[in-house]
Amino acid sequence: MNDLEDDCFSSFYHDFGRPSYHPKMLLSALLFAYSQGIFSGRKIEKLMVENLAMHYLTGQLVISYRTINRFRVAKGMSDLLQDLFVEFSVRLKMEEFVSLDCLYIDGTKIEANANKYSFVWKKATDKFSLKLQENIRQSFQEEIAPLIEEAIVLDQEEPISSEQLDDFVAILEKELEKTNQEIEQQPVKGADERKKKRRKLRKAIRKVRDDFSVRAKKYENYGETFEGRNSFSKTDTDATFMRMKDDHMMNGQLKPGYNLQIATENQFVLHYDVFPNAADVNTLLPFLESYPHELKTIVADAGYGSEENLVTLNELEVSHFIKYALFDKEQKRTYKKSSRNLE
């Protein structure tokens, strides 16, 4: 940490206020606290009072939890940590702890800090959205179209968007205003078809504005949030529901989480990234794209062995030791002797 250039911390200094704590000292204290599994600002402040190692790092200073929290969310902190991680890898290379020639890749699922019952499923969303479109078209033909004079043609192939529904509301409100003016100009005692039409217009406006439009917007937002996934959590939209490891009663756990990918060599972590994809096979290529060093050799399990991944690695001229999906099955005697598999 002390070998880092001071220019890396220039964005953490200000020309006003009291003299700042040295960013190197704050960052060292943060990393030490994280290594001990302590993440709360108040608990880190308490650690500065009680822990001897923290006394050494901070020079026996006790820093307010407010200062700690402001520092770790300051602008430029994310870039600083990435640069620090790359610098750490280079230092390991210089000290000959690693060669950076071979990456050992594996992943693990970590649970998100989200409600496990806040799931939204893509299949259910598509089903309800399709049902909503059917209800809108039926309501338009039976209830809305007879009430308005303006001719509106619905596209039978494209779904009706929330913006179109807002336009329908504007047309209905315009028709309602016109009907009100007619009733005021030519009032009629007793039964009046115009009053009946006014009631139907008000009902149609409430139905389109407060029901159809709201649900259409909700399903559109859900569709944008999925981003190719099958589910997400309402309380953490970046998290995907995935199968976690079985608990002590051997019950499968379906919870919102992330797929953490880690690349190591000689038990040192050289690269990491977090993905919302439950399957490892979809994370390999994006994971390697963000690797800051030259790729030479990759070692991973069969969970990464798709045809696309292996072909891409061959095109990039990267050596790899990755089983394809049927490798273990092809080694069995029954598979080799099967007449279906004889060439």
Side-chain angles (χ1 to χ4, degrees):
M1 181 68 67
N2 293 330
D3 293 336
L4 289 176
E5 297 292 337
D6 291 338
D7 295 340
C8 299
F9 302 93
S10 58
S11 61
F12 295 93
Y13 290 101
H14 303 283
D15 297 331
F16 54 88
R18 296 182 59 188
S20 304
Y21 293 106
H22 201 293
K24 287 185 181 180
M25 182 266 290
L26 290 174
L27 186 57
S28 299
L30 271 180
L31 295 178
F32 175 75
Y34 290 169
S35 68
Q36 304 301 309
I38 299 175
F39 305 97
S40 168
R42 294 179 185 271
K43 291 183 179 180
I44 294 175
E45 180 182 354
K46 183 179 179 182
L47 194 68
M48 293 179 179
V49 178
E50 300 175 347
N51 191 279
L52 292 177
M54 188 66 87
H55 286 180
Y56 170 77
L57 293 175
T58 61
Q60 296 185 342
L61 292 175
V62 179
I63 303 168
S64 169
Y65 70 92
R66 294 186 180 90
T67 302
I68 296 171
N69 291 336
R70 282 196 297 266
F71 174 73
R72 58 181 169 184
V73 298
K75 184 179 180 181
M77 175 58 71
S78 178
D79 295 335
L80 174 62
L81 291 178
Q82 291 180 2
D83 295 341
L84 179 62
F85 197 82
V86 175
E87 183 71 21
F88 175 72
S89 302
V90 174
R91 180 56 57 89
L92 291 175
K93 169 72 172 179
M94 294 173 59
E95 298 292 338
E96 298 184 353
F97 287 107
V98 297
S99 63
L100 298 181
D101 293 335
C102 185
L103 282 182
Y104 299 85
I105 300 176
D106 202 357
T108 184
K109 295 181 177 65
I110 55 176
E111 185 177 351
N113 185 17
N115 190 329
K116 62 181 179 180
Y117 299 111
S118 61
F119 43 76
V120 178
W121 303 104
K122 189 175 187 303
K123 285 186 178 180
T125 301
D126 294 341
K127 174 184 175 182
F128 294 139
S129 179
L130 182 61
K131 185 65 175 178
L132 175 63
Q133 293 295 324
E134 294 176 357
N135 292 339
I136 292 175
R137 296 182 188 280
Q138 181 180 0
S139 178
F140 181 84
Q141 294 176 358
E142 297 178 358
E143 301 176 10
I144 299 177
L147 298 176
I148 55 180
E149 298 178 358
E150 183 177 347
I152 300 178
V153 179
L154 296 179
D155 192 339
Q156 299 299 324
E157 296 181 358
E158 294 294 328
I160 301 173
S161 65
S162 58
E163 295 180 355
Q164 290 178 294
L165 292 174
D166 292 338
D167 294 339
F168 292 164
V169 171
I171 294 173
L172 289 171
E173 289 177 343
K174 183 179 179 181
E175 188 70 23
L176 177 61
E177 183 180 357
K178 179 180 177 182
T179 304
N180 286 331
Q181 291 178 355
E182 292 177 356
I183 294 174
E184 292 176 358
Q185 293 174 359
Q186 299 177 356
V188 176
K189 294 183 178 180
D192 190 351
E193 289 295 327
R194 295 174 300 176
K195 294 181 180 179
K196 185 177 180 181
K197 178 182 178 181
R198 182 172 61 180
R199 289 194 297 270
K200 290 182 178 180
L201 281 170
R202 289 173 177 172
K203 181 180 178 181
I205 290 174
R206 289 195 301 269
K207 190 172 186 179
V208 175
R209 181 186 58 202
D210 300 336
D211 183 20
F212 290 161
S213 181
V214 172
R215 285 197 286 162
K217 288 179 182 178
K218 180 177 70 172
Y219 295 144
E220 289 172 4
N221 293 333
Y222 284 176
E224 295 175 358
T225 306
F226 281 121
E227 295 180 344
R229 298 176 292 165
N230 292 325
S231 64
F232 69 88
S233 170
K234 292 180 182 178
T235 52
D236 184 357
T237 55
D238 292 330
T240 305
F241 277 80
M242 54 187 70
R243 185 70 61 180
M244 300 292 178
K245 293 182 179 179
D246 296 343
D247 60 9
H248 62 283
M249 296 296 291
M250 302 303 293
N251 296 319
Q253 300 292 308
L254 189 64
K255 296 179 180 179
Y258 296 94
N259 193 347
L260 174 63
Q261 296 293 312
I262 301 175
T264 66
E265 183 187 353
N266 198 19
Q267 299 185 4
F268 288 101
V269 177
L270 301 180
H271 188 47
Y272 68 93
D273 207 344
V274 180
F275 298 91
N277 309 91
D280 292 335
V281 67
N282 298 323
T283 64
L284 180 62
L285 297 180
F287 180 65
L288 296 179
E289 288 178 1
S290 60
Y291 182 62
H293 306 292
E294 181 183 359
L295 288 172
K296 296 182 179 179
T297 305
I298 294 173
V299 180
D301 58 34
Y304 300 87
S306 69
E307 181 179 359
E308 179 185 2
N309 290 344
L310 299 179
V311 170
T312 303
L313 292 176
N314 290 334
E315 293 175 351
L316 296 175
E317 298 182 354
V318 177
S319 301
H320 54 83
F321 297 92
I322 303 176
K323 293 181 181 179
Y324 51 90
L326 295 177
F327 179 83
D328 290 330
K329 186 176 181 179
E330 291 178 355
Q331 309 309 311
K332 295 182 179 180
R333 185 181 304 173
T334 55
Y335 183 90
K336 294 179 179 180
K337 290 185 177 181
S338 175
S339 59
R340 293 179 301 176
N341 304 318
L342 294 177
E343 296 181 357

